[in-house]
Amino acid sequence: MLFNSSNNNIIITMKQLLRQITIVLVTVLMFNMNLLAQLPKESPEDKTKRMEWWTDARFGMFIHWGLYAEAARHEWVKKRERITDEDYQKYFEVFDPDLFDPNDWAKMAKNAGMKYAVITTKHHEGFCMFDSKFTDYKSVNTPYKKDIIKKWVQAFRDEGLKIGFYYSLIDWHHPDYTIDRVHPQSASTDEEYKELNKGRDMDKYRKYLKNQVKELLTNYGTVDIIWLDYSFPGKNGKGHEDWDSENLLKMVRELQPGIIVNDRLDLLDKKGGWDFTTPEQYKVSKWPEKNGGKVSWETCQTFSGSWGYYRDEASWKSPHQLIELLAESVSKGGNLLLNVGPTARGMFDYRAQDRLKAMGEWMKYNNRSIYGCTAAPAEYPIPDNCLLTYNPKTKRMYVHLLDYPMGALTLKGFEGKVKYARFLHDASEIKLTKPRHNVTHQESNEAGDIMLKLPVVKPNIEIPVIELFLK
Ligand code: GLC
């Protein structure tokens, strides 16, 4: 009730003050609850700069290692065989990788030509390879007793490799993680799900997940990459709300401003919600695009099909296929993250070692066609059975001969554009000839073509590469 004008003024001022205080309080509260979280803004140029080392590196090692290495029949064994926590416990009790020597692993990665490595700190099974304050389910509590990630980080950094952490958003061991369609105890009816999830509290799991990511990004120095895996929205699935992805990512960026983040947080339409896309176990048909623009990408691939060590798997890719996969990824502007699943004693399987060696042998002579390279400018047609990569800084083009031609190679549309040509592996000159018209025994007679004269015998290189100096 207002009695006179001066009282009136006072009451209005009081009202305004109260409103202001309420606004301030609500804002503070929302900030505390992280409801106003914004992902840091970044210009496209700054993003390119932040990701430059990764884009130039092109080749990294993925490592899937956990208790599932003991079962040795897929990292999803717990789900595939619907194993209960009690029955899975035996792997925890005997986990003791006595031959684990991360220095050896780091050397193998480096010798293969890899520039970075990403290791599973926790996979879907929920077992932590690092010493976390928030769980007992970790390597330090097994017979092995040590923080695996700590040793690994040190060794890989010492070899000059950049380091990345894979962390599974999914957790098949945490008691508060609700049972969903990919969980080992997945159900068939809504009723069953309801029953199974009584007492489980995703809010608690969200806190756990955030706390662990915080530990990983606080206790191990600079972390170059984080690989969060994965979202599966929809019925009985999980997406960004379940992980509180936006706030999680905000924390990640705050803790490690230079970090590079994959795209599995279910934030695909969010600006700043991811740095690169992750085609898994297939070859992209062309440079992936989003909203009409090319995006950074990295294909993750296995040697033999599964990610964790799988003793009886016989479907190992050949060195030729793997080198082709690497060159092809670069020829479409992407990276390759090639996976090793170490054994439960801490060794790389001999077949993995063989392939890493073969890739290293190739990379020793040909890495110039990989590092710092990307897709060739569109004006250069790709010759049959070849892959083109291009280094924009040195203006050199690399022709990868997937199927070695006999005596000559035609480059259509290259006339007048090449200064000099040579094999990359031994720097031996390759003669260029002009297109000859009216020849009977030369296939190429079109204007604009050039011919490279090649030895009939294929050089002793899995996939020979020709280096073209462009004008
Ligand atoms: C999938 C699988 C997983 C693997 C990952 C690698 O998300 O669930 O086992 O770690 O792909 O990209």
Side-chain angles (χ1 to χ4, degrees):
M1 273 278 224
L2 308 175
F3 296 102
N4 61 45
S5 69
S6 65
N7 271 351
N8 193 359
N9 280 345
I10 290 170
I11 290 170
I12 288 171
T13 323
M14 289 284 282
K15 265 186 165 175
Q16 279 174 342
L17 200 67
L18 263 170
R19 244 184 77 206
Q20 293 298 336
I21 292 172
T22 319
I23 291 170
V24 171
L25 279 176
V26 170
T27 316
V28 169
L29 201 73
M30 282 174 82
F31 256 114
N32 279 341
M33 290 166 68
N34 265 329
L35 292 177
L36 292 181
Q38 288 271 318
L39 294 171
K41 302 252 182 314
E42 191 182 35
S43 70
E45 296 73 36
D46 284 346
K47 183 174 175 188
T48 306
K49 219 161 145 207
R50 176 167 58 82
M51 294 186 63
E52 195 176 10
W53 73 262
W54 180 88
T55 311
D56 285 348
R58 291 302 186 208
F59 190 24
M61 176 180 278
F62 217 173
I63 300 173
H64 275 68
W65 202 30
L67 298 181
Y68 44 81
E70 294 175 286
R73 51 181 194 278
H74 209 279
E75 76 285 353
W76 274 58
V77 62
K78 193 174 184 192
K79 160 74 177 167
R80 286 182 163 193
E81 300 177 16
R82 295 181 67 87
I83 305 176
T84 59
D85 284 345
E86 295 69 48
D87 288 344
Y88 205 75
Q89 188 60 16
K90 64 184 176 201
Y91 301 127
F92 180 88
E93 276 157 20
V94 298
F95 186 71
D96 191 9
D98 58 328
L99 299 178
F100 173 47
D101 177 0
N103 299 301
D104 205 32
W105 291 13
K107 282 196 186 78
M108 284 191 268
K110 193 175 180 182
N111 291 340
M114 292 156 162
K115 295 276 194 190
Y116 60 101
V118 180
I119 191 168
T120 48
T121 56
K122 177 192 94 169
H123 201 259
H124 308 337
E125 65 180 0
F127 176 69
C128 295
M129 304 290 270
F130 62 106
D131 192 4
S132 169
K133 265 201 321 223
F134 303 97
T135 185
D136 292 333
Y137 199 49
K138 53 186 178 184
S139 56
V140 276
N141 290 343
T142 65
Y144 186 62
K145 294 197 177 76
K146 285 168 226 138
D147 181 330
I148 285 173
I149 296 304
K150 195 168 167 198
K151 292 178 71 175
W152 181 87
V153 164
Q154 190 60 50
F156 275 66
R157 267 212 208 104
D158 287 352
E159 279 300 334
L161 295 155
K162 298 271 189 189
I163 58 137
F165 289 158
Y166 170 109
Y167 180 86
S168 175
L169 300 165
I170 298 169
D171 196 310
W172 297 334
H173 180 267
H174 196 283
D176 282 305
Y177 183 91
T178 52
I179 290 171
D180 52 44
R181 65 172 192 262
V182 305
H183 194 279
Q185 272 72 55
S186 60
S188 31
T189 65
D190 290 350
E191 277 312 298
E192 275 171 31
Y193 273 114
K194 227 168 145 187
E195 193 55 35
L196 281 167
N197 284 325
K198 262 190 196 147
R200 288 181 182 251
D201 182 355
M202 266 306 274
D203 205 35
K204 283 196 189 137
Y205 176 71
R206 260 188 299 279
K207 287 201 182 95
Y208 173 78
L209 138 74
K210 209 169 187 177
N211 282 333
Q212 287 208 320
V213 171
K214 189 170 186 180
E215 283 183 318
L216 285 167
L217 300 186
T218 312
N219 299 343
Y220 299 89
T222 304
V223 179
D224 305 293
I225 300 168
I226 189 153
W227 235 94
L228 297 161
D229 198 33
Y230 66 78
S231 301
F232 49 108
K235 197 168 160 56
N236 298 316
K238 287 196 171 70
H240 62 95
E241 281 173 1
D242 298 281
W243 320 126
D244 189 18
S245 293
E246 214 168 318
N247 287 311
L248 181 67
L249 183 55
K250 186 180 168 249
M251 183 191 76
V252 166
R253 299 249 193 241
E254 271 167 11
L255 292 172
Q256 298 271 346
I259 203 163
I260 296 177
V261 188
N262 73 335
D263 68 339
R264 296 191 179 179
L265 273 169
D266 188 27
L267 291 178
L268 286 181
D269 296 322
K270 247 284 89 62
K271 202 163 184 293
W274 52 281
D275 288 328
F276 65 94
T277 191
T278 54
E280 177 177 330
Q281 302 257 49
Y282 69 91
K283 282 186 177 184
V284 298
S285 56
K286 61 180 181 63
W287 191 324
E289 293 184 7
K290 179 107 184 124
N291 302 325
K294 294 185 165 117
V295 296
S296 301
W297 66 278
E298 170 190 78
T299 181
C300 47
Q301 302 271 347
T302 59
F303 282 130
S304 58
S306 68
W307 299 90
Y309 175 63
Y310 198 134
R311 184 190 58 209
D312 302 335
E313 209 161 46
S315 43
W316 287 70
K317 298 174 184 84
S318 69
H320 188 102
Q321 286 175 307
L322 294 164
I323 295 164
E324 179 176 332
L325 183 61
L326 173 62
E328 189 175 329
S329 302
V330 180
S331 81
K332 290 169 180 165
N335 286 19
L336 169 64
L337 189 64
L338 188 56
N339 181 73
V340 180
T343 70
R345 292 200 66 189
M347 296 293 289
F348 286 2
D349 180 276
Y350 71 96
R351 292 161 290 189
Q353 292 201 33
D354 283 353
R355 278 151 186 84
L356 289 173
K357 265 194 214 122
M359 294 193 84
E361 184 64 15
W362 187 85
M363 281 294 275
K364 176 172 171 191
Y365 296 104
N366 299 291
N367 68 41
R368 221 185 292 158
S369 78
I370 301 296
Y371 301 144
C373 287
T374 185
E379 63 195 274
Y380 296 95
I382 302 167
D384 287 347
N385 303 317
C386 292
L387 293 169
L388 294 181
T389 64
Y390 175 68
N391 186 321
K393 284 202 182 121
T394 61
K395 293 207 171 58
R396 293 189 199 169
M397 177 86 79
Y398 297 94
V399 186
H400 299 72
L401 305 171
L402 299 180
D403 189 6
Y404 191 74
M406 233 181 17
L409 179 75
T410 303
L411 298 178
K412 293 192 177 295
F414 274 68
E415 197 188 15
K417 293 181 173 166
V418 180
K419 262 196 306 217
Y420 187 75
R422 65 186 182 190
F423 272 123
L424 186 51
H425 66 277
D426 66 354
S428 62
E429 182 178 11
I430 293 173
K431 283 195 161 180
L432 299 169
T433 60
K434 295 227 179 301
R436 287 186 289 163
H437 300 275
N438 306 320
V439 284
T440 49
H441 48 273
Q442 293 283 17
E443 189 202 313
S444 168
N445 60 2
E446 283 171 30
D449 296 357
I450 56 170
M451 301 266 293
L452 301 178
K453 273 193 72 61
L454 299 174
V456 171
V457 178
K458 182 188 167 197
N460 188 28
I461 293 286
E462 190 68 61
I463 295 178
V465 181
I466 297 166
E467 184 174 48
L468 302 175
F469 292 63
L470 299 188
K471 283 182 184 161

